[in-house]
Amino acid sequence: MNWDNIKLVWRREMRDQLRDRRTLFVIGILPLLIYPMMGIAFSRLSQFVRQNTATVSVVGYEQLADLEDVPALLDDGRFAEDLFQQPGLSERINVISVVGSAENLEKQKQGMKQGMTDLVVYFPPGFAERLATIRQAMREESEAEGRQALPNPPNPIVYYDTRDESQLANSRVQVLLDRWQSRIVRNNLIAGRIPIEITRPFHVESQNIAPAGGRQAAFWSKLLPFIVFVCALTGAFYPAVDLCAGEKERGTLETLLTSPAQRGEIVGGKLLTVITFSIGSALCNLASMAITGQLIIKQLNAITGPGQDPLTAPSLTSIAWLLIALLPMAVMFSATSLALASLARSTKEGQYYLMPLFLVCMPLMMLPLLPGIELNLPTSLVPISGMVLLMQAAMESKLALAATYVLPVALVTLGCCAVAVRWAVSQFNQESVLFRDTENFDLLTWARWAYAHRPPTPTLGAAALLIALIFLSQFIAQSISFDITQPSGFVKMILVSQSCILLPTLLMGLLAVSSMRRTFLLAERIPWLSVLTGIALAVVMQPIGTALIELLDPILPLPPGLAELAEKLGSDATLPLGMVLLLMAVLPAICEELAFRGFVLSGLRERLSPGWAIVGSAVFFGLAHPTALQQTVCAAFLGLLLGYIAVKSRQITPCVAFHMSYNGLQLLRTSFADSLADLPRAEWVFRPSSAEAVRLGFTTPVVILCGLAAIALLWQVGPSMYTSAETYGSKDDASSPLPKAAAAEQTRL
Amino acid sequence: MAIAITPGMHALPAVYCFDFQPPAAALMIEANGLAKVYDDLKLGPRVAVADLTFRAEEGEVFGLLGPNGAGKTTALRILATLLKPTSGYARINGFDCETQPELVRHQIGYISASAAMYDRMTAWEMVEYFGQLHHIEPQLLRERMERLFDRLAMNEIRDVLGGKMSTGMKQKVAIARAMVHDPPVLIFDEATNGLDVLVARSLLDTVRELRDQGKCIIFSSHIMREVERLCTRIAIMHRGRILAEGSLEQLRAEYQSEDFEDVFLDLIGREEKRLAEAAQAAEVEVAS
């Protein structure tokens, strides 16, 4: 990789893009124009709200004129001045007072349709009478005992329609009518010699004790990352299309590829250009928004009025956080756009690819805006969303929370960046991508072709797809809530969570590979010896697994509630023990082993050495247990063991046997902890445990002995131990089994 | 002691014998059993180039003549390291196109049919850019570019943007761009496409000049007159195969025709007939 060449390509592309008016317009000029234009539109709207003069028809008010002691609603042909909060506002409402009659009402309603008036307030006949009756009743009640029923009320009606003017007038007049009504109430109470305080014995005062900037920070932390990242995405995409598809279209790519610059260097230069534009676009938008924001914030604060907490500009620290996060996001978006754009033959085709990219990225950016979505381990592992959530936490000054998840978010983001960059480079190394002129691609034909040519065991890509599918289904299933205190809810939860693993696995097994037997390491007949070894290993691994949990518990405690739940499930009398064993030992053993030791491990082994493939499958196995970090680590540890057994024995059955027995034994030990502790000489084996989820721990000598036994058993795991080679039928394995004679020898041992 | 030092010679790894004989022309292009097969999802594997074998030396214009779709561009793209051959190998000045693509690219100048030129780049910038990619010293690059621009009469379009150029101007820039690092091998892929008679003639003159300077030139075309005027040796390609190869005289003599066009049409007609018969035979075999 020659840095000079990258710089050369980058300089050329930058110059090229800066000479392109379209790009400059979309990236630089448009944001500079769009926010001020939005600002102007907004301020015009607020001006309209404040200065619009409404016309209101009042029908039938004349009946109130003679009523004594009722405060005036209308005064001198307008709404009474004292009903308004600020003087002079009464002039913004013109009143047409009409004598009450059905005919007049109809006429005014028609008038509203034609826009002559914005609102019709109708006082039906008998309204004044009703007010008078109430007043009378109040007076008499203070003297006489008992209460009399009041006649059915003929209430005033306000008519409005869908026009903005009408709706605005409605909201303004409603406020006036409410104030007028409370004045009437007050007068009535005075007449009845009842203290006014009786209607409001107390007044609830609410105080916001969040730090001064807290509310602001919460507002900006939702808005800013979203806007900045969307700008970074759009800013990356247009130059990427021009740099790849545009260059292909003009035929210059062919020329460039015959220059001594390597493909990686060309991609590097182009990627730098796209990143520059992505960051540039985000910064332009941010700056333009800041300038316009100053104006809008003033307008907004003018509308909300005093009393409300005024909105201020976001703090410089939050902007700084955003800028730090912008770089990896820009790299990720740029590399993805570049790889996607390199698929396109022409600029026009390139534009089509923007839509799918947006459809994938937008939900991930919107997700953190939903209420209830918080930064935790599972959400921090979602690309883009994790970063947005991390930014929200940092901007709200929840630095401790942010610091906890910096590592997973950074790992996921950097991982995505690396994958995207590698994808972009690999696209440039593919002839079929660079010279696609002859190929006529058709999805259906391709799907048919891919199905017909599916390999016997999965590719790395298929394994990655399965992992993605499993995580996605788990993510979706997260939104389903189960009442796990009820047996039925618990059963449903287990079934759903296991389906999230089993269904994608079976789907991929059917569609992506031609040999299910080799993919899922299925033996023709059950190798009983291997099953027994699996079970024996599960027994001796109990103390070691428990020791691991006890070791992890102080560092990674289970979330509150989960420990009690784990304990309760074991001893729950509502579900028969056999059922619990079936749900928590047998079912997970089958589903998870088929997925992780079957499909995923086979797929990872396509490209990785067995060691790395085992590590990889163990990590994903751990991540598929997202309830608690402690569980994730334990599962990953057992995943290593299971992967080793699968690779060495080339069979899934010992893994299933191990998994099933391990889970089952753990469950039984918790359920019968008391009876076990009462056994004679139990103290030689068991001791009370410090960890919440473990009721019965093991003594150190037992742990050491079992550790030795486990090593011995693992040593024995191997193809030579179980059956002859033809059971596996796999000729592709590098670590080929011992010759048959030696194998037979070993079996006898 | 007479040694003809040609401008392209400094790039040659060949060892010269200091003899009274002029040095033997060095082998520049060697293609051996080149094949390129594309996987087409609908039609199955499609053979673009099959078993292509030829050699070209310095000071020679090797012509690839063939109708559209004969596989000329694919063959040249393999030589230019843009495509990897499915089988066989190609060497340029001793470097393998598949395993040493970076070294090969220093040895070649590639001029494609599209005369590709960046729209928002001037002629000078374009040639300079490729010179820089070849890591030529700034001073040397400047001098060489001044000479090239003079020789190709390009000073008028020095600061014209690519988007505003005619096809002829673009083709000139492409030649200057391909020659800026003074490569011993030049590859012209249907370079006269879309050029008017005047410009095409001047391009052919340039090619001839380059040949006289000792460059090895491979020139593909579907226009017989160009090939006749220019090429020292010719290979006639059809459906990915070389049907005949030799100097103009050899081909005329072999096919007993003065008119080269007749030779060409005759060859293609025979090949089509042979293919049709082979297909029929295969069908009969399947039926039986």
Side-chain angles (χ1 to χ4, degrees):
Chain A
M1 201 63 102
N2 186 332
W3 179 241
D4 280 345
N5 281 351
I6 297 180
K7 225 163 58 187
L8 261 174
V9 176
W10 176 65
R11 275 214 324 253
R12 194 214 80 81
E13 300 292 2
M14 283 304 290
R15 184 168 57 188
D16 201 58
Q17 290 300 314
L18 290 175
R19 281 180 186 172
D20 184 15
R21 283 192 218 112
R22 278 173 310 171
T23 316
L24 278 188
F25 181 76
V26 173
I27 308 288
I29 316 272
L30 199 63
L32 292 182
L33 288 178
I34 196 117
Y35 293 103
M37 266 156 68
M38 272 161 55
I40 290 168
F42 186 80
S43 65
R44 281 284 143 81
L45 186 73
S46 60
Q47 229 165 23
F48 166 74
V49 171
R50 271 179 296 146
Q51 296 183 351
N52 170 46
T53 305
T55 308
V56 177
S57 304
V58 181
V59 182
Y61 182 73
E62 74 285 344
Q63 56 181 305
L64 289 151
D66 306 335
L67 217 60
E68 58 176 281
D69 223 11
V70 169
L73 177 68
L74 296 184
D75 183 19
D76 200 14
R78 293 194 175 279
F79 282 104
E81 182 83 41
D82 56 351
L83 289 174
F84 292 91
Q85 235 177 8
Q86 284 169 306
L89 284 180
S90 67
E91 283 167 25
R92 298 252 184 80
I93 304 179
N94 292 328
V95 175
I96 307 169
S97 197
V98 187
V99 178
S101 73
E103 192 189 330
N104 276 350
L105 175 66
E106 210 44 49
K107 216 189 250 171
Q108 291 305 320
K109 282 206 261 182
Q110 284 299 325
M112 189 165 71
K113 267 185 199 161
Q114 290 153 12
M116 315 268 278
T117 176
D118 298 323
L119 199 73
V120 180
V121 183
Y122 174 57
F123 293 102
F127 176 68
E129 208 174 304
R130 169 184 153 79
L131 284 187
T133 319
I134 294 172
R135 167 66 59 89
Q136 193 58 35
M138 287 299 290
R139 277 203 188 116
E140 280 162 13
E141 220 169 73
S142 62
E143 288 146 19
E145 287 289 312
R147 289 171 192 279
Q148 18 177 153
L150 293 171
N152 250 351
N155 286 320
I157 306 170
V158 177
Y159 298 95
Y160 67 100
D161 64 16
T162 50
R163 281 179 300 128
D164 287 342
E165 290 88 344
S166 178
Q167 307 232 352
L168 190 63
N170 183 29
S171 61
R172 285 158 82 178
V173 169
Q174 288 287 358
V175 174
L176 298 179
L177 289 174
D178 279 349
R179 282 201 195 117
W180 182 56
Q181 187 172 26
S182 30
R183 271 171 209 196
I184 295 174
V185 170
R186 196 180 62 193
N187 285 0
N188 286 350
L189 291 174
I190 292 169
R193 297 201 190 102
I194 296 167
I196 292 168
E197 287 70 27
I198 212 145
T199 57
R200 297 196 81 175
F202 57 83
H203 170 72
V204 180
E205 201 174 315
S206 53
Q207 277 186 5
N208 192 344
I209 58 157
R215 197 178 68 99
Q216 313 283 347
F219 172 75
W220 289 119
S221 73
K222 293 251 178 207
L223 188 70
L224 280 184
F226 177 73
I227 292 185
V228 168
F229 292 160
V230 169
C231 294
L233 179 60
T234 45
F237 197 78
Y238 286 100
V241 168
D242 193 55
L243 257 54
C244 285
E247 191 146 0
K248 260 196 229 180
E249 201 171 35
R250 291 187 287 270
T252 44
L253 189 62
E254 201 180 349
T255 320
L256 186 60
L257 292 176
T258 57
S259 82
Q262 288 175 23
R263 308 268 162 111
E265 293 160 1
I266 295 173
V267 178
K270 285 181 183 287
L271 187 62
L272 274 185
T273 316
V274 180
I275 293 171
T276 314
F277 273 91
S278 171
I279 292 178
S281 166
L283 291 182
C284 268
N285 278 280
L286 205 59
S288 174
M289 214 160 58
I291 297 163
T292 320
Q294 296 291 329
L295 296 170
I296 294 190
I297 286 170
K298 266 183 210 157
Q299 304 260 2
L300 248 177
N301 289 337
I303 291 177
T304 49
Q308 291 265 5
D309 196 0
L311 196 62
T312 53
S315 68
L316 281 177
T317 0
S318 34
I319 302 283
W321 284 119
L322 210 54
L323 294 184
I324 294 171
L326 181 58
L327 185 67
M329 294 306 268
V331 173
M332 188 161 105
F333 290 146
S334 303
T336 315
S337 305
L338 203 65
L340 207 58
S342 66
L343 283 173
R345 270 162 292 188
S346 62
T347 340
K348 188 170 154 240
E349 193 185 327
Q351 311 279 359
Y352 293 143
Y353 295 147
L354 182 61
M355 200 55 177
L357 185 64
F358 250 83
L359 285 181
V360 172
C361 290
M362 283 306 257
L364 292 177
M365 288 195 233
M366 306 268 272
L367 186 75
L369 302 183
L370 299 178
I373 300 285
E374 280 172 1
L375 185 61
N376 50 33
L377 187 67
T379 52
S380 70
L381 292 176
V382 181
I384 304 177
S385 301
M387 183 56 101
V388 175
L389 283 166
L390 187 71
M391 279 303 100
Q392 286 183 1
M395 288 169 80
E396 286 178 44
S397 307
K398 295 177 189 163
L399 293 182
L401 176 73
T404 320
Y405 295 107
V406 161
L407 195 65
V409 171
L411 282 180
V412 167
T413 310
L414 291 181
C416 287
C417 283
V419 170
V421 171
R422 276 195 71 167
W423 185 33
V425 175
S426 78
Q427 291 285 21
F428 268 78
N429 275 316
Q430 277 184 37
E431 291 172 4
S432 55
V433 171
L434 295 175
F435 304 103
R436 267 185 61 194
D437 42 9
T438 49
E439 180 197 6
N440 44 353
F441 185 78
D442 163 26
L443 190 67
L444 205 66
T445 324
W446 175 82
R448 245 184 252 142
W449 182 88
Y451 182 72
H453 290 80
R454 64 198 193 281
T457 55
T459 58
L460 186 67
L465 183 62
L466 174 63
I467 293 166
L469 280 176
I470 290 177
F471 286 170
L472 189 71
S473 2
Q474 284 186 334
F475 191 68
I476 294 167
Q478 235 183 15
S479 61
I480 312 171
S481 57
F482 300 99
D483 182 13
I484 38 176
T485 52
Q486 292 296 315
S488 64
F490 172 69
V491 172
K492 272 185 211 155
M493 183 192 77
I494 299 280
L495 287 181
V496 167
S497 69
Q498 289 305 318
S499 315
C500 288
I501 294 173
L502 187 65
L503 292 182
T505 309
L506 290 182
L507 187 76
M508 291 296 289
L510 285 171
L511 295 179
V513 294
S514 62
S515 170
M516 297 262 255
R517 204 166 69 84
R518 280 175 63 188
T519 302
F520 294 117
L521 308 171
L522 304 173
E524 271 167 0
R525 50 192 145 80
I526 295 175
W528 290 110
L529 192 60
S530 71
V531 171
L532 286 178
T533 317
I535 294 171
L537 202 57
V539 173
V540 297
M541 279 307 289
Q542 285 294 317
I544 300 163
T546 312
L548 182 68
I549 294 177
E550 286 177 327
L551 201 71
L552 286 173
D553 205 53
I555 320 164
L556 304 166
L558 288 179
L562 201 70
E564 289 97 77
L565 188 72
E567 197 175 319
K568 189 173 165 286
L569 287 173
S571 56
D572 201 349
T574 47
L575 267 179
L577 187 63
M579 187 70 169
V580 177
L581 279 175
L582 187 73
L583 286 171
M584 294 193 68
V586 181
L587 196 65
I590 295 170
C591 299
E592 292 174 1
E593 290 314 305
L594 283 179
F596 291 96
R597 253 61 61 185
F599 201 96
V600 171
L601 189 60
S602 300
L604 292 178
R605 288 190 68 187
E606 187 215 10
R607 296 268 183 89
L608 304 178
S609 66
W612 282 113
I614 292 172
V615 171
S617 74
V619 167
F620 290 118
F621 180 57
L623 292 178
H625 292 79
T627 342
L629 207 53
Q630 189 191 94
Q631 211 193 356
T632 308
V633 176
C634 286
F637 169 71
L638 291 172
L640 286 176
L641 218 67
L642 284 160
Y644 178 78
I645 300 172
V647 167
K648 283 295 277 184
S649 72
R650 293 185 233 165
Q651 283 172 357
I652 202 84
T653 28
C655 301
V656 175
F658 174 88
H659 197 147
M660 202 182 285
S661 327
Y662 186 87
N663 282 13
L665 284 172
Q666 211 174 23
L667 208 66
L668 289 174
R669 207 178 71 238
T670 326
S671 311
F672 299 107
D674 297 335
S675 338
L676 282 173
D678 288 346
L679 286 177
R681 302 217 172 79
E683 71 277 6
W684 288 14
V685 181
F686 301 113
R687 57 172 181 76
S689 172
S690 54
E692 249 183 300
V694 185
R695 291 186 61 192
L696 217 51
F698 290 88
T699 52
T700 319
V702 173
V703 175
I704 294 170
L705 279 177
C706 286
L708 293 174
I711 292 170
L713 278 169
L714 281 172
W715 199 265
Q716 286 300 305
V717 177
S720 51
M721 185 177 167
Y722 300 118
T723 72
S724 57
E726 78 261 20
T727 314
Y728 321 109
S730 56
K731 298 162 193 76
D732 54 340
D733 202 295
S735 59
S736 75
L738 297 168
K740 275 190 184 175
E745 189 77 33
Q746 287 247 327
T747 318
R748 255 180 272 128
L749 289 170
Chain B
M1 210 164 70
I3 309 161
I5 305 263
T6 60
M9 267 191 184
H10 69 269
L12 305 184
V15 177
Y16 292 98
C17 309
F18 287 83
D19 202 341
F20 291 107
Q21 296 291 318
L27 179 64
M28 276 294 153
I29 303 175
E30 185 189 1
N32 204 327
L34 276 191
K36 182 72 188 173
V37 182
Y38 290 106
D39 261 334
D40 192 303
L41 297 183
K42 261 186 195 154
L43 309 168
R46 194 174 59 79
V47 181
V49 168
D51 196 24
L52 211 61
T53 304
F54 62 85
R55 298 161 149 242
E57 292 165 351
E58 59 178 328
E60 177 174 54
V61 180
F62 184 82
L64 270 184
L65 183 68
N68 293 331
K72 303 185 294 284
T73 300
T74 306
L76 296 187
R77 277 180 176 170
I78 295 174
L79 293 182
T81 72
L82 291 171
L83 298 176
K84 287 203 175 354
T86 315
S87 63
Y89 67 85
R91 291 203 188 114
I92 300 237
N93 204 3
F95 300 112
D96 189 276
C97 289
E98 198 176 351
T99 54
Q100 302 165 299
E102 276 84 38
L103 296 172
V104 168
R105 281 183 223 139
H106 279 291
Q107 306 294 323
I108 57 165
Y110 178 75
I111 296 132
S112 69
S114 59
M117 167 89 201
Y118 291 106
D119 283 349
R120 298 182 289 268
M121 218 176 179
T122 66
W124 185 265
E125 286 168 348
M126 173 89 174
V127 179
E128 191 182 33
Y129 175 50
F130 278 85
Q132 287 167 340
L133 283 175
H134 279 281
H135 300 289
I136 302 171
E137 288 295 310
Q139 182 61 31
L140 179 67
L141 178 62
R142 220 192 135 69
E143 285 167 17
R144 201 177 275 177
M145 279 173 66
E146 291 288 1
R147 245 184 293 140
L148 270 174
F149 272 65
D150 279 342
R151 202 164 100 193
L152 294 167
M154 280 169 53
N155 283 318
E156 285 163 32
I157 56 166
R158 202 182 259 241
D159 296 321
V160 176
L161 287 178
K164 302 220 160 101
M165 285 184 196
S166 67
T167 319
M169 291 178 189
K170 282 185 186 171
Q171 200 56 276
K172 275 188 180 175
V173 179
I175 295 173
R177 188 259 307 147
M179 283 173 53
V180 71
H181 56 295
D182 198 16
V185 174
L186 283 159
I187 299 170
F188 286 80
D189 184 15
E190 309 241 0
T192 52
N193 263 10
L195 299 185
D196 63 47
V197 185
L198 280 173
V199 183
R201 174 64 68 88
S202 104
L203 183 127
L204 297 184
D205 289 343
T206 312
V207 173
R208 205 172 290 127
E209 235 173 82
L210 290 168
R211 176 194 66 192
D212 295 342
Q213 284 170 20
K215 304 275 180 201
C216 172
I217 293 160
I218 181 157
F219 189 93
S220 90
S221 179
H222 60 270
I223 303 165
M224 256 141 285
R225 283 186 58 78
E226 281 177 2
V227 177
E228 266 181 295
R229 280 163 167 269
L230 205 61
C231 300
T232 33
R233 270 183 324 118
I234 298 165
I236 295 176
M237 266 189 93
H238 183 54
R239 293 187 182 246
R241 289 171 194 283
I242 291 183
L243 302 181
E245 193 206 317
S247 70
L248 210 56
E249 291 70 37
Q250 280 173 339
L251 289 174
R252 279 190 186 127
E254 194 174 331
Y255 295 94
Q256 292 154 7
S257 169
E258 266 310 296
D259 190 351
F260 190 62
E261 197 168 306
D262 286 345
V263 175
F264 179 74
L265 289 174
D266 183 39
L267 266 170
I268 292 204
R270 267 197 248 173
E271 174 71 4
E272 285 290 313
K273 204 170 151 197
R274 191 187 66 79
L275 285 173
E277 277 168 9
Q280 217 167 16
E283 240 170 64
V284 170
E285 200 171 307
V286 169
S288 68

